[in-house]
Structure formats: C-alpha cells, structure tokens
Amino acid sequence: MPSPLTPAPAVDSSVPLSEQAFRSLRRDVLVGHFEAGSKLKLDELQGHYGFSSSPLREALSRLAQEGLVRADERRGFRVAPIALDDLNDITHMRLMLDVQALGSAIAHGDDAWEAAIVAAFHRLEKIESRFGDGALVLDDEWSEVHRGFHLSLLAACASERQRMWSASLFDQAERYRRFSARHRQIARRKSNEHRKLMDATLARDGDTACALLTEHIQSTQRNVEAALRRMQAAGA
C-alpha cells in the first residue's frame, strides 16, 4: 500500500509556501501515493494540502522539470507514467554521474567523510535488523536512511552540481524501486550489497567500488523490467 498523503504542513513563515507545497507534493509522488498517469487536480490538492493554487502550480511546474509530473496545457498535470524508457534514461544518467561521483569522492574524501559513511551504514543496518521479510523499500524510514547512505558515499565528490543531480536522480528512481517492491515475488535484501560497497569505498578501491555501484543501479532496472513483464503476462 502506498504511504498516506503527507499531512497538511503547519505554517512556517521561514519557508516559502511554494517550497512547502513542492516538498509535500514531491514526497507523495515519489512514494507512489498518486498512481502513475493519474491526473493531479488543483482543487483536490488545495483541499488536502491547504495551499492556494499559485504555490501548487509552481510546485507542479518544478516537478515537471524533474520529470516526475507531465504538464499539458489543455489537460493540466499528471503523474509521470511508469515507463521503461523513462527508467532507462534515469539509469543511464545515474551510471554517468553517480559512478564518476563515487570515484571523485574516493579521491577527495577525508576522515570525516569515511566516518559519515560508517555511521550511515550503521543506521541502515540497525533499521534492517528490525524488519522481517517485508519489502524494506516500502517503509518510509528505511527509504530515508537508505538515501542517506547512498548520498554519504558521494558527499566528497568535488562537484556540487554533480552531487545535486545525483541526489535528484536517486529520488526519481525511488518511484521505480517502490513499484518493483510492490510487484516483487521474492524479497530482495540489500544489506550485503551495501556492506560490500562501503568496504570497497573505505578501502579506496575505486575500481571495485564503482563496479559494485554500477551493478547496484542496474539491479533496479532489471527488477522493474521483470515486474512489468509479470504484469503484462497477467493482463494487467
């Protein structure tokens, strides 16, 4: 089941309304609350989030720039469909940016960077120990800690823009990770993959670390392809 809609935020004068609307709506699109391809009606969004149409339109336009929402002048806004072409593009860009960013981080990272990776992995391992055989990616807390671990690996990359783009692409892939998890027949445990990735990174073994990250990214692509094939075979 998708996570509940983000509760209407409390008024925070330090954060612009358009930014508050963007964060809330983005989270709900990423976790799959809104079905892929579904229409995002302004009056319904206003009713739930409590924002006027102006900040919501700005938020939707920003989401369209990220590829999470599709804009049509006549039909308004819709959640981007789950499509292999889109996933392939996200995967292609992640392989271009993330793998190179990891190599840069390994070359430039200091002791504090290493310590942050170890701490992030420890949090990830602790939360995984509390779960049974359910799909971890469907748990919001695990997803946030998982994101933190991956971004910690790239945190020492010399390019700030590259780190920002990598973070955005990681988030765009979240919809597909959750889609795959909801349709997976066998639970996938990633803790061993993450430990190997951490160990190679901390050992400054750039070739091994980058190869492991490449495989990690591509596994999401394969899992989504398998889920879509099963749906097609079932006539969904």
Side-chain angles (χ1 to χ4, degrees), residues 53-221:
S53 61
S54 181
L56 283 169
R57 284 186 182 277
E58 184 173 340
L60 289 166
S61 295
R62 288 176 63 184
L63 291 172
Q65 291 174 5
E66 278 197 76
L68 296 172
V69 164
R70 298 286 188 263
D72 186 293
E73 290 184 2
R74 292 174 298 176
R75 295 185 294 176
F77 294 92
R78 292 180 179 275
V79 178
I82 293 291
L84 279 179
D85 285 348
D86 182 49
L87 176 62
N88 291 342
D89 191 29
I90 293 170
T91 302
H92 171 71
M93 292 303 299
R94 291 189 71 199
L95 291 174
M96 284 182 59
L97 293 173
D98 292 17
V99 176
Q100 197 278 335
L102 179 59
S104 173
I106 289 172
H108 295 95
D110 57 13
D111 291 346
W113 168 71
E114 291 188 3
I117 293 173
V118 173
F121 177 78
H122 178 70
R123 288 192 293 272
L124 188 62
E125 194 171 43
K126 288 290 285 185
I127 194 172
E128 289 186 357
S129 70
R130 302 201 302 265
F131 280 84
D133 294 328
L136 288 169
V137 73
L138 297 180
D139 179 81
D140 290 345
E141 184 182 2
W142 181 88
S143 291
E144 187 62 29
V145 174
H146 177 239
R147 181 182 192 271
F149 171 73
H150 275 276
L151 297 189
S152 74
L153 295 170
L154 311 183
C157 172
S159 170
E160 180 180 1
R161 287 185 176 85
Q162 192 166 359
R163 295 196 304 271
M164 291 174 59
W165 290 334
S166 290
S168 176
L169 288 165
F170 184 92
D171 290 343
Q172 291 178 52
E174 179 70 10
R175 281 200 319 142
Y176 289 94
R177 283 189 288 270
R178 288 180 178 250
F179 170 83
S180 172
R182 284 193 293 270
H183 296 89
R184 190 175 300 147
Q185 294 178 327
I186 300 175
R188 178 187 174 203
R189 287 290 180 174
K190 297 183 178 183
S191 56
N192 192 46
E193 296 176 35
H194 291 134
R195 178 175 289 280
K196 289 179 179 178
L197 182 54
M198 177 187 69
D199 288 346
T201 298
L202 296 180
R204 309 287 175 144
D205 184 349
D207 290 343
T208 299
C210 289
L212 288 169
L213 182 58
T214 295
E215 170 58 25
H216 198 68
I217 292 170
Q218 289 175 333
S219 66
T220 295
Q221 184 179 33

Side-chain angles (χ1 to χ4, degrees), residues 30-72:
L30 287 174
V31 302
H33 177 82
F34 297 108
E35 187 176 347
S38 63
K39 186 173 178 61
L40 296 169
K41 299 179 181 179
L42 273 177
D43 57 344
E44 293 179 0
L45 298 178
Q46 286 178 264
H48 173 74
Y49 295 109
F51 298 111
S52 65
S53 61
S54 181
L56 283 169
R57 284 186 182 277
E58 184 173 340
L60 289 166
S61 295
R62 288 176 63 184
L63 291 172
Q65 291 174 5
E66 278 197 76
L68 296 172
V69 164
R70 298 286 188 263
D72 186 293

